[in-house]
Amino acid sequence: ATEYATPDLTNCDREPIHILGRVQSYGALLALSSGWLVQHASENLSDILGITVEGALGRRLADLLPQDSFARIREALRAVGPSNPVLRLFGIPILGEKAGDFDLSIHQSGRHLIIEFEPKGEQRNGDPLSQVYPYIHRIRRTNDLRAFTREAARSLRALCGFDSVMVYEFAEDASGHVIAEDTADGERRYLDQHFPASDIPVQARVLYKRSLLRLIADVSDPGARILAADSAGNQPLDLSLAATRAVSPIHIEYLQNMGIQASMSVSIMKDGELWGLFACHHDEPRYIDYELRTCVELFAHLFSYELGHLGEAQKREAVERSSQLQTRLMASMAEGRDLPGSLMAVSEDIRSVIPHDGLIMITDGQVSATGVTPTEEEFLCISRLLNATGGSQIFATNKLSQLLPEAADFARRCSGILAIPISRMPRDYIVLCRKELTETVKWAGNPNKPVTVGPNGVRLTPRKSFEIWRETVTGASAPWTLASTHAAELLRVVLLEIFLKITDQTAAERK
Ligand code: BLA
């Protein structure tokens, strides 16, 4: 068996969260051998199904469940396969001491078939499934990421009834950022806050690509151990896809320090990668049944699909905007302005396509600037770096001082540059500058809110997380996204064309 270190705050990435051997109290778990014999059972089996663990281990499933229910499970299992790993059955009647309807989640885990049972929740008002499409249509009417995610947070909160729903977007370095928030009391909690990569460690991010939703219904729930029959061997069960999996105690402490009692998160995927999460908080314990969770998952799935579409639409819009930019530049030059003058005149348009804090342009050794930029002297230092790196391609960095130690002195004003070569002459560039990220982002959480702190101390509080994130981004600007470098490439082509026209014109005038 693999050896795992005891998890602590320094080795979060190594906590084996998929084999912790516990379920949450809201569901019971059985693991069966290929011959339908019960090999593992969670200790709360009698609370949930009215069957004792001793009475279940080593028995056949068919002997434990009503014939009809067993038949439905066996029938449904035909649909399970690699492309459809988790089977869901809603409202299966089970007789006996705990008689009632149950929601079941069934999947294969290594040699075992895992079946989880959750008593069906109380009758809900309305039908959440009927709401999913109307919500998605509403989201579709928005056309920028902010409005899009805000609408999604609002819809998801209406669907799941949690006190607060956030949209958390991962950055390239796996840190994250709350880009939308919708709360029951309208109070802002974490909107615009950044958190370090370690708050959602790598093994969790990998797992969340396979298993899209987790509900932590009550942070004070001790959960139930999973016990094994003597014949089961001592390999722990892989619970990666288990709906009732109990989560990392370190994370539980984080949630307790946040002052919330229930948390649910749902993966948001884009281009096959984990783009972000819906993070839902509740100030009281909150359980929603598997069928409603499936509805939430479906919503997130459709949202992910729409997010992909939004990305495509934004790319088309960037092309459109750069052609408008070309028209505007040409018009400005036709009015008799030179290129630097014209570019300064359209700098706002450039900013709407590629967000930046300042713009510097160097042509024929002449420097012009607008916005927050390095000084001319500092810029000469940067241009030496640019000239040394070749020159006909877009060049972007969000940590200038790593390449240019002198830049540490003016990092606050300019940590990131995106340089666009603008003629076929070397050494002519437009350089877009970005301030250090920490200059633009401040802690916005309520400073007066009392924090209760658990055994691992303040490290597991959002405020401390924010400070740790700040340390990791000292000397860095917001990264240049793929969309930005793409737009810069379009701008480069536009400018090249303008240059060609100017050269043609001057040649014609000379004749
Ligand atoms: C998991 N951490 C998570 C999850 C979230 C966060 C959303 C998914 C589980 C869930 O739904 O609750 C983090 N939640 C946040 C953040 C916000 C939020 C940033 O609401 C911001 C508003 N966490 C730490 C440290 C460690 C750590 C220092 O802060 C490790 C030492 C671990 N977080 C950790 C682990 C998991 C986790 C191990 C996985 C839990 C699991 O699925 O078992």
Side-chain angles (χ1 to χ4, degrees), residues 8-9 12 15 17 166 168 178 190 195 198-201 203-204 208 214 216 245-248 250-251 254-255 258 263-265 277 279 281 459-460 465:
D8 60 31
L9 293 179
C12 297
E15 184 179 10
I17 59 172
M166 291 170 273
Y168 188 79
V178 177
Y190 296 107
F195 299 90
S198 50
D199 280 23
I200 309 176
Q203 80 282 28
Y208 299 171
R214 57 244 118 236
I216 303 162
R245 179 178 66 85
V247 308
S248 154
I250 291 183
H251 180 54
Y254 185 85
L255 297 174
M258 268 182 156
S263 169
M264 177 171 74
S265 60
L277 297 171
H281 289 177
R459 168 59 189 98
L460 292 176
S465 285

